[in-house]
């Protein structure tokens, strides 16, 4: 069974940091594009960041540029989203997604991905 499992969410104060992990099981991430998305209550799911299959290309939403960093460790079949200087507006359920395609680019549109995790809650509040 092909699965993505997120972890690392939680409650953090504004200005704090969290690192989310996305572990793949049933397949390797070597030849996959990976994206991180988030969905706040009452809002549509939006793309946050992505990383190409090779890891050489990354993209970020304007709202998280300079604060979030996406990375991957193919040896561990795991991707990460390091989130620094968190703000209350970052509060959402965060999802990782993958598409098994070896490409040197990535995008943050929902329909570009066909494997999704179950999500992990991130709450930024004092």
């Amino acid at each position: 069974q092909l699965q993505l499992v997120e972890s690392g969410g939680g409650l953090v104060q504004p200005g704090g940091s969290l690192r989310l992990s996305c572990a793949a099981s049933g397949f390797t991430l070597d030849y996959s594009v990976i994206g991180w998305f988030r969905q706040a209550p009452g809002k549509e799911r939006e793309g946050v960041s992505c990383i190409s299959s090779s890891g050489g290309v990354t993209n970020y939403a304007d709202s998280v540029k300079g604060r979030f960093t996406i990375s991957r460790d193919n040896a561990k079949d795991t991707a990460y989203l390091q989130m620094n200087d968190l703000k209350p507006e970052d509060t959402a359920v965060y999802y990782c997604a993958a598409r098994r395609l070896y490409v040197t680019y990535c995008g943050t549109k929902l329909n570009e991905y066909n494997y999704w995790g179950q999500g992990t809650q991130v709450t930024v509040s004092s």
Side-chain angles (χ1 to χ4, degrees):
Q1 186 176 2
L2 308 182
Q3 279 189 317
L4 294 172
V5 180
E6 302 95 335
S7 60
L11 173 64
V12 63
Q13 292 186 341
S17 298
L18 284 174
R19 188 176 82 154
L20 305 183
S21 299
C22 171
S25 65
F27 69 106
T28 65
L29 288 180
D30 287 31
Y31 295 95
S32 298
V33 182
I34 299 165
W36 283 97
F37 296 79
R38 67 186 182 186
Q39 187 166 18
K43 295 188 177 181
E44 294 186 350
R45 192 172 300 188
E46 63 175 358
V48 174
S49 182
C50 64
I51 186 167
S52 64
S53 310
S54 65
V57 174
T58 58
N59 286 307
Y60 298 91
D62 288 342
S63 59
V64 306
K65 277 181 184 175
R67 300 188 298 121
F68 290 12
T69 303
I70 191 171
S71 62
R72 62 192 298 156
D73 185 341
N74 288 344
K76 295 182 178 180
D77 287 325
T78 302
Y80 304 95
L81 185 68
Q82 177 67 44
M83 306 186 296
N84 298 329
D85 189 23
L86 283 160
K87 303 176 180 181
E89 52 263 41
D90 294 318
T91 296
V93 177
Y94 284 71
Y95 300 88
C96 70
R99 181 176 181 180
R100 299 180 72 187
L101 182 68
Y102 191 88
V103 291
T104 56
Y105 61 86
C106 71
T108 52
K109 294 181 180 179
L110 274 69
N111 61 8
E112 295 181 83
Y113 297 86
N114 49 9
Y115 295 101
W116 291 83
Q118 82 292 345
T120 185
Q121 176 70 47
V122 171
T123 302
V124 185
S125 175
S126 54

